[in-house]
Amino acid sequence: MAPGEPGPVAAVGPAASPHDRLDGRVERGRRRRALLLEAALRVVERAGVAAVTHRAVAKEAGLAATAGTYYFATVDELLVAVITAGAHRFADSVRALLPAEPSIRDFAALAAGYLNEHRGRTIAEYELYLLAARRPELRPAARLWLSAARELLARWSTDEATLRAALAACDGLLLQGLIADEPPGADEIAGTLEHVLGR
């Protein structure tokens, strides 16, 4: 090719539109935010709520130290997001793992899994749940857990007092199970809930 002659044109696709670029940035932002939430939960699981800082969570997520403050202005804002995500994850897991018409024993098996296979994660999420007792700004997010559990328990009773008792029984069984040397199994949990719900 002589100097001054045009060279071959590189084979490239159409240039990304501003909309495509924006969508890509939004998706990357969602992924990073999700990484930070998962990382925060792992920090709580390993070392407790007191260990949650923007720097610790960003390091756990493998992101720059300033990444946390970009998505969450304060640590409390991050904790609210973690609790909210956990409540939605719980509701989604219940819908995904239980059959369309679950029995109390199906639900009890799911709860027993939280005390055994997912024990560390359950401890972390209960620590966040209980933190709302001290921090009012966390309470609306923490109450999402109760809403998700209540939605499921309402399949077996519509009586308000019975539902409150069943929710209290669920909390008690899980909290006591977390400190027990031998956590209750599905049969024990089912028996308690069947008694409370009058089934």
Side-chain angles (χ1 to χ4, degrees):
M1 181 178 67
E5 288 183 356
V9 177
V12 295
S17 71
H19 183 269
D20 291 339
R21 288 194 297 272
L22 178 60
D23 281 355
R25 286 197 298 271
V26 168
E27 185 54 35
R28 280 194 301 277
R30 285 193 188 119
R31 281 199 304 267
R32 286 188 175 186
R33 192 176 188 278
L35 280 173
L36 289 164
L37 294 179
E38 272 299 311
L41 196 52
R42 288 196 302 273
V43 170
V44 177
E45 186 175 342
R46 187 173 60 246
V49 171
V52 175
T53 64
H54 282 309
R55 184 176 293 276
V57 170
K59 181 179 179 182
E60 180 74 22
L63 298 173
T66 56
T69 54
Y70 180 81
Y71 294 98
F72 307 101
T74 66
V75 170
D76 275 0
E77 190 178 315
L78 170 61
L79 293 175
V80 166
V82 172
I83 294 171
T84 302
H88 289 305
R89 185 170 50 247
F90 168 71
D92 289 344
S93 72
V94 166
R95 294 185 189 104
L97 295 174
L98 294 182
E101 293 297 329
S103 68
I104 291 173
R105 289 186 176 268
D106 291 327
F107 177 61
L110 187 65
Y114 285 119
L115 293 174
N116 292 285
E117 299 97 309
H118 308 294
R119 181 182 178 82
R121 179 59 56 97
T122 304
I123 291 170
E125 292 185 336
Y126 255 106
E127 188 170 349
L128 289 163
Y129 178 65
L130 291 172
L131 184 65
R134 293 188 181 277
R135 299 193 190 176
E137 64 273 18
L138 302 182
R139 291 175 193 170
R143 284 193 286 264
L144 290 172
W145 289 97
L146 295 175
S147 297
R150 181 191 173 87
E151 179 185 336
L152 179 65
L153 292 169
R155 294 169 182 258
W156 302 302
S157 177
T158 57
D159 179 70
E160 188 61 34
T162 301
L163 284 173
R164 283 198 301 269
L167 282 170
C170 286
D171 266 341
L173 287 163
L174 287 169
L175 282 170
Q176 290 174 25
L178 290 173
I179 61 172
D181 292 332
E182 289 292 331
D187 287 344
E188 186 177 342
I189 294 171
T192 301
L193 290 178
E194 285 168 350
H195 175 76
V196 172
L197 291 164
R199 307 296 291 187

